[in-house]
Amino acid sequence: APDAARLGRAPVSRIGSEALAARAVFQVLNSNPDAGFRDSARFPGFPRAVESTISELRLAGVTPERLGTVETIPFIGPLLGEYEAALEAARLTDRADLFRAAAEAVRQASAGSITRGPIVMLDVAVTSSAEADFIAALGAAASNLLAVIPEEDSRAIEALGRNGPAVPVNSPTEG
């Protein structure tokens, strides 16, 4: 992540991300003693579950402001906010930030860049809007593109189809 390095940030590992989630849980519990998840927070798997949820939200581009206080889970917005504050304070970047930076780097790449040549993508699986944005940027930058995508992966097909028609090719049937 050259952009992250230029900004003085380091990528965070999954375990590091879990530690940041645990810190976010601690901060939210300290600022709100009546938080609805106080009892659950004592279980050892809770920070991992929070990290997984936060990761999915960030990969989907959801912000703490956009979440606000969702009635059914009013604590998720503050947890996401604390997690993002912890990332910033530690000068770290997570997977969602890396995908966003990579997509932007591809869009800004010069005409002679490797991303402007032909690109082959094999077994492309898109599970988030951040990933979709990245592969769409690669597809738009490529002079020629061949992508092998499972035909039921409508998200990947849609992301690559933003750059022109996506032509599905049926796979040979198993015999």
Side-chain angles (χ1 to χ4, degrees), residues 84-148:
E84 290 183 350
L87 273 178
E88 183 65 34
R91 311 281 301 148
L92 296 171
T93 186
D94 66 359
R95 192 164 177 254
D97 288 334
L98 290 174
F99 273 117
R100 283 187 201 89
E104 189 56 32
V106 168
R107 285 187 202 94
Q108 301 299 321
S110 64
S113 167
I114 193 168
T115 62
R116 300 295 181 190
I119 294 178
V120 175
M121 296 181 192
L122 301 175
D123 295 330
V124 176
V126 177
T127 60
S128 71
S129 60
E131 292 168 341
D133 188 42
F134 174 60
I135 69 161
L138 279 174
S143 61
N144 290 300
L145 173 68
L146 171 65
V148 178

Side-chain angles (χ1 to χ4, degrees), residues 16-101:
S17 190
E18 285 179 27
L20 292 175
R23 177 184 169 94
V25 167
F26 178 78
Q27 293 295 101
V28 170
L29 284 174
N30 272 349
S31 64
N32 183 1
D34 297 328
F37 61 91
R38 178 170 293 288
D39 291 338
S40 300
R42 289 186 227 159
F43 291 99
F46 190 73
R48 178 173 287 156
V50 168
E51 187 280 333
S52 180
T53 301
I54 286 173
S55 179
E56 287 182 36
L57 289 169
R58 288 184 44 78
L59 284 165
V62 176
T63 63
E65 298 77 30
R66 187 168 155 210
L67 268 180
T69 54
V70 180
E71 265 185 53
T72 54
I73 46 171
F75 58 84
I76 199 69
L79 282 172
L80 180 58
E82 287 293 338
Y83 176 86
E84 290 183 350
L87 273 178
E88 183 65 34
R91 311 281 301 148
L92 296 171
T93 186
D94 66 359
R95 192 164 177 254
D97 288 334
L98 290 174
F99 273 117
R100 283 187 201 89

